[in-house]
């Protein structure tokens, strides 16, 4: 298939798609399936207009040039999907509250400054780490103040990292937050003239947000009590998935937990974990 529906505004051929897919795999470990052609064109055609480029030949030349380093970042941001919501896959947060946190408390019994570390890997615009923070704050209450408790939130998309740091969301998107929790841990505001909510400073103090490519060197040393990496591994090829899971296993303390997305599994990928619930795995 030499040419892909070139009745479009910009000529977009197979070699354009192949080069973009190869760069995305090299830089982010994301395997771009052939049926994503229309998505790639739609997202990047807007970029060609913004840059006033005549065609995808010019855009591909830019990506491969010295001047294209900054554009590579935009490419990764544009082609990574960021679907997220508060309390998504609610059984994970029930398990966090009822099983993970009591276990961490037991292990830290008698410690003058108990330690708690949770990582949201692939945090998107932030609903996941803020949901984790709400669970910690609402479950542990005033006790949390004496803990050395931190939530690390990372994402490859720098635009999403900035959104997570701001912690401001359309009110419609916050419907999954239980009313009592929403009243306690968010404040009414506006976003682009529309009703919105802002996360409280109490939650923001628990969270550190950083950009991170999961296939590059990780600057943190762990150990983590729990890692949430949901609906991220589905974009990696098998070697990429194996590399990330093995790295997670080294980062999670004995008895700690890994939470995956609803369509992800460790079956045939790793023997470092045992299944503790639907898409919940415990380090062995």
């Amino acid at each position: 298939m030499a040419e892909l529906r070139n009745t479009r505004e910009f000529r977009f051929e197979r070699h354009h798609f192949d080069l973009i897919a190869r760069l995305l795999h090299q830089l982010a470990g994301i395997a771009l399936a052939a049926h994503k052609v229309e998505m790639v064109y739609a997202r990047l055609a807007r970029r060609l207009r913004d840059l006033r480029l005549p065609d995808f030949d010019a855009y591909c030349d830019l990506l491969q040039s010295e001047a294209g380093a900054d554009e590579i970042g935009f490419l990764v941001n544009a082609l990574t999907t960021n679907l997220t919501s508060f309390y998504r896959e609610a059984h994970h947060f029930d398990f966090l509250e009822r099983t993970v946190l009591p276990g961490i408390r037991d292990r830290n019994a008698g410690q003058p400054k108990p330690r708690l570390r949770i990582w949201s890997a692939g945090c998107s615009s932030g609903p996941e780490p803020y949901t984790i923070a709400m669970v910690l704050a609402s479950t542990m209450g005033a006790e949390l103040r004496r803990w050395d408790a931190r939530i690390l939130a990372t994402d490859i998309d720098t635009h999403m990292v900035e959104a997570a740091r701001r912690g401001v969301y359309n009110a419609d998107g916050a419907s999954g937050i239980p009313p009592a929790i929403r009243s306690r841990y968010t404040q009414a505001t506006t976003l682009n003239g529309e009703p919105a909510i802002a996360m409280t400073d109490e939650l923001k103090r628990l969270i550190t947000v950083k950009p991170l490519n999961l296939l590059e060197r990780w600057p943190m040393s762990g150990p983590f009590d729990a890692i949430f990496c949901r609906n991220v591994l589905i974009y990696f090829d098998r070697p990429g998935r194996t590399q990330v899971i093995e790295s997670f296993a080294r980062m999670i303390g004995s008895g700690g937990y890994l939470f995956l997305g609803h369509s992800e599994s460790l079956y045939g990928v790793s023997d470092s974990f045992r299944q503790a619930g639907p898409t919940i795995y415990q380090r062995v």
Side-chain angles (χ1 to χ4, degrees):
M1 186 167 57
E3 191 163 316
L4 304 171
R5 294 193 189 176
N6 285 324
T7 57
R8 302 185 180 108
E9 176 183 358
F10 299 104
R11 183 172 54 86
F12 189 53
E13 299 182 354
R14 171 58 70 181
H15 67 89
H16 298 132
F17 177 84
D18 289 345
L19 184 142
I20 290 165
R22 185 168 65 252
L23 285 174
L24 194 65
H25 186 265
Q26 289 171 351
L27 297 166
I30 295 173
L32 197 60
H35 70 269
K36 298 290 187 180
V37 167
E38 294 302 322
M39 181 271 285
V40 170
Y41 177 84
R43 295 188 182 184
L44 295 182
R46 293 193 295 268
R47 188 59 175 166
L48 266 66
R49 295 186 205 105
D50 291 342
L51 295 174
R52 298 183 178 180
L53 293 176
D55 51 37
F56 273 91
D57 286 340
Y59 186 68
C60 289
D61 288 344
L62 172 62
L63 289 173
Q64 298 175 92
S65 70
E66 278 189 33
D70 292 339
E71 186 59 30
I72 291 293
F74 181 92
L75 176 73
V76 173
N77 291 349
L79 297 184
T80 49
T81 300
N82 296 288
L83 178 63
T84 185
S85 60
F86 292 96
Y87 286 85
R88 187 181 187 190
E89 298 182 50
H91 70 282
H92 284 168
F93 301 105
D94 290 340
F95 191 90
L96 175 64
E97 177 180 346
R98 298 174 185 177
T99 301
V100 179
L101 293 183
I104 295 170
R105 279 168 157 158
D106 289 346
R107 288 195 298 274
N108 282 273
Q111 297 294 322
K113 190 71 172 175
R115 181 184 184 278
L116 188 158
R117 293 291 187 274
I118 298 177
W119 179 12
S120 170
C123 69
S124 188
S125 58
E128 180 176 272
Y130 283 113
T131 301
I132 295 169
M134 290 178 202
V135 172
L136 264 59
S138 61
T139 302
M140 302 178 72
E143 175 194 359
L144 189 58
R145 296 174 192 161
R146 72 179 185 87
W147 282 66
D148 174 19
R150 299 298 304 168
I151 299 165
L152 174 64
T154 65
D155 200 274
I156 193 172
D157 187 331
T158 53
H159 296 155
M160 294 297 103
V161 167
E162 288 305 314
R165 285 178 179 151
R166 288 193 297 271
V168 178
Y169 303 93
N170 289 324
D172 289 346
S175 59
I177 305 175
I181 300 293
R182 180 171 174 173
S183 174
R184 174 67 180 83
Y185 296 107
T186 72
Q187 299 168 336
T189 184
T190 59
L191 180 65
N192 300 322
E194 298 293 329
I197 60 164
M199 301 294 110
T200 61
D201 289 342
E202 181 180 356
L203 297 185
K204 287 184 175 182
R205 281 193 293 267
L206 290 170
I207 300 171
T208 300
V209 188
K210 299 284 187 181
L212 181 70
N213 183 337
L214 288 174
L215 292 182
E216 294 181 351
R217 193 182 75 82
W218 299 353
M220 58 283 196
S221 57
F224 289 93
D225 299 290
I227 296 176
F228 286 71
C229 185
R230 305 187 304 169
N231 305 307
V232 174
L233 298 178
I234 55 174
Y235 296 105
F236 294 167
D237 58 16
R238 187 176 181 84
R241 287 195 300 272
T242 300
Q243 175 184 329
V244 172
I245 292 298
E246 289 177 349
S247 297
F248 283 154
R250 291 191 292 270
M251 282 284 179
I252 296 176
S254 179
Y257 292 89
L258 175 63
F259 295 81
L260 299 181
H262 68 276
S263 61
E264 297 168 324
S265 169
L266 294 187
Y267 180 76
V269 177
S270 173
D271 57 5
S272 296
F273 297 87
R274 70 169 188 88
Q275 190 151 13
T279 57
I280 303 170
Y281 298 86
Q282 186 175 28
R283 182 75 167 91
V284 296

